Amino acid sequence: MGDAPEDWPTGRLLSAAARRVERAWDAYLARWSLSHASLPVLAVLVGGELSQREIAAHLGVTEQSMSRMVAGLERSGYVQRSRDTADRRRHTVQITATGRRALRELNLRDAIDSLVGHDLSDAELADLRGLLLRFLG
């Protein structure tokens, strides 16, 4: 395992690159007390209020994980929970103005792309983006 990256299989290179970008992304999001796991919750709630169960199902995570994420987002003032007026046992979650503002502030394409770019030229970054889109397509 002590071999140089040039000798790694493509999957290992991709995995190492993904971890590097994820660490940089989390450091960037930490400025807003967010993480790569909690950010999608806010993005989903832009479409309207949902129950925690609905958010968990939409994002493919457990209700227990969602409960912790929503609690953290609520402490940060990004979401608010309230009882459903039609079903008192059910709670709904909605994004707050503070949550919407955080999404606007952090969603700066150049700042986000700089987390990936490292020493890549604009053309190389465009090539990488094209390859990733093709890979994910």
Side-chain angles (χ1 to χ4, degrees), residues 4 6 15 34 37 41 50-51 63 66 73 91 97 105 109 127:
E6 293 81 14
S15 178
L34 293 167
V41 177
L50 297 168
S51 71
E63 290 182 43
M66 185 52 54
L73 290 168
H91 286 83
E105 288 174 2
R109 186 174 184 135
D127 287 346

Side-chain angles (χ1 to χ4, degrees), residues 2 6-7 21 23 44 53 58 68 71 80 83-84 92-94 124 126 131:
E6 293 81 14
D7 299 327
V21 170
R23 284 191 301 270
V44 166
R53 176 175 286 156
H58 185 79
R68 285 192 302 270
Q80 97 179 26
R83 287 205 184 274
D84 187 322
T92 58
V93 183
Q94 60 185 343
E124 289 170 325
L131 290 169

